């Protein structure tokens, strides 16, 4: 199939635009939370960097498959502009990650393979896999913020000041570092890197397996980009 006439070309452009918006949205969240949650803002900077890397992957794929003949690509997709006040903004970002990883990109990959563009399909699947790591991190952060347990634990936990390296095993991190005087937001907290299989299954049940698109939850930062 001619790439210039394919649905994959439009889907790559939609994905590129979506990742750019995701990266910008995280930057807005960072600006809103960095004063009180310094270490969390550092984690979010890493996620924002990931999103721009994904955008670059899509951009390079378009240029390569178009043989440097892609100029302007019209994109017909919905992109909402949800409020980014912290911490509600993290819930909106999490919903977008779920939509992209479990519904949108798997569907784009399926279309790309059907049209004969396995390289594009591989990129969609790779980014989908990467976004699932974001889901793992953001799920824990949003739940712990909602329960006020970001810096609390049922058992003695290792806490480390990211400014001076003061550390201790305590059920709850200090409000002010006893060594340097920096606030609790500078304390590093640990997250589980992989979701349990039961939670993964529940996510796939709720958001689909890539064969169809789920509707975005109210307040999503970016609406799903429908296939062309």
């Amino acid at each position: 199939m001619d790439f210039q006439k394919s649905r994959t070309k439009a889907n790559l452009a939609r994905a590129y635009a979506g990742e750019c918006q995701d990266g910008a949205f995280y930057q807005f969240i960072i600006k809103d939370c960095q004063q009180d949650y310094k270490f969390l803002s550092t984690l979010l900077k890493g996620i924002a960097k990931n999103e721009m890397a994904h955008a670059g992957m899509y951009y390079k794929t378009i240029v390569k498959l178009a043989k440097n003949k892609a100029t302007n690509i019209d994109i017909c997709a919905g992109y909402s502009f949800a409020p980014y006040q912290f911490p509600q903004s993290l819930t909106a970002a999490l919903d977008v990650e779920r939509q992209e990883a479990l519904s949108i990109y798997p569907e784009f990959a399926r279309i790309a393979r059907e049209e004969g563009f396995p390289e594009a399909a591989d990129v969609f699947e790779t980014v989908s896999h990467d976004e699932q790591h974001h889901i793992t991190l953001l799920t824990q952060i949003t739940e712990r913020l909602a329960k006020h347990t970001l810096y609390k634990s049922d058992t003695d936990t290792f806490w480390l000041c990211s400014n001076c390296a003061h550390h201790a095993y305590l059920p709850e991190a200090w409000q002010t570092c006893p060594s340097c005087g920096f606030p609790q937001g500078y304390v590093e907290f640990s997250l589980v890197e992989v979701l349990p299989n039961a939670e993964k299954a529940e996510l796939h049940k709720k958001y689909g397996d890539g064969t169809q698109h789920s509707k975005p939850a109210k307040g999503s930062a970016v609406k799903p980009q429908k296939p062309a």
Side-chain angles (χ1 to χ4, degrees):
M1 170 177 268
D2 183 355
F3 178 72
Q4 298 290 359
K5 299 178 181 179
S6 70
R7 299 166 69 188
T8 295
K9 174 186 171 183
N11 290 340
L12 283 167
R14 291 185 176 97
Y16 165 74
E19 292 294 323
C20 287
Q21 183 166 349
D22 293 348
F25 192 70
Y26 281 116
Q27 292 292 346
F28 298 156
I29 299 174
I30 291 165
K31 185 176 181 180
D32 200 37
C33 79
Q34 62 185 355
Q35 183 172 350
D36 295 326
Y37 295 93
K38 188 64 176 180
F39 180 66
L40 174 57
S41 70
T42 300
L43 292 179
L44 295 177
K45 286 177 183 178
I47 295 179
K49 183 178 179 180
N50 296 159
E51 304 297 16
M52 295 313 298
H54 297 160
M57 293 163 64
Y58 288 131
Y59 191 98
K60 291 175 183 178
T61 303
I62 292 172
V63 171
K64 182 176 181 180
L65 293 178
K67 298 181 174 146
N68 296 318
K69 294 180 181 179
T71 52
N72 293 324
I73 301 177
D74 290 332
I75 300 175
C76 180
Y79 298 95
S80 68
F81 291 81
Y84 54 84
Q85 282 72 28
F86 182 84
Q88 292 81 7
S89 51
L90 281 182
T91 301
L94 174 57
D95 185 69
V96 172
E97 298 282 3
R98 287 168 172 163
Q99 294 288 343
E100 290 172 344
L102 303 175
S103 180
I104 298 170
Y105 293 158
E107 175 69 355
F108 285 178
R110 182 189 65 78
I111 292 171
R113 291 200 187 282
E114 285 185 353
E115 292 186 329
F117 301 107
E119 182 176 350
D122 288 345
V123 174
F124 284 127
E125 290 169 352
T126 296
V127 175
S128 172
H129 177 76
D130 296 344
E131 301 289 21
Q132 290 184 49
H133 181 61
H134 294 168
I135 293 173
T136 301
L137 299 182
L138 292 176
T139 296
Q140 296 171 79
I141 293 170
T142 53
E143 288 180 352
R144 287 169 64 172
L145 283 170
K147 296 176 181 177
H148 305 287
T149 58
L150 191 62
Y151 286 111
K152 294 180 181 180
S153 176
D154 294 332
T155 60
D156 283 348
T157 300
F158 180 77
W159 305 105
L160 173 70
C161 176
S162 63
N163 181 59
C164 72
H166 175 77
H167 58 280
Y169 282 91
L170 299 167
E172 181 176 352
W174 48 86
Q175 291 295 321
T176 302
C177 179
S179 293
C180 68
F182 273 47
Q184 189 181 68
Y186 280 80
V187 177
E188 297 185 11
F189 51 84
S190 60
L191 300 169
V192 177
E193 295 296 322
V194 181
L195 281 178
N197 289 331
E199 292 186 43
K200 284 185 179 180
E202 182 63 26
L203 281 174
H204 281 276
K205 179 180 178 181
K206 182 175 181 180
Y207 289 94
D209 57 2
T211 59
Q212 59 184 3
H213 291 282
S214 303
K215 293 182 179 179
K218 185 177 181 181
S220 297
V222 181
K223 294 181 180 178
Q225 305 98 356
K226 295 180 181 179

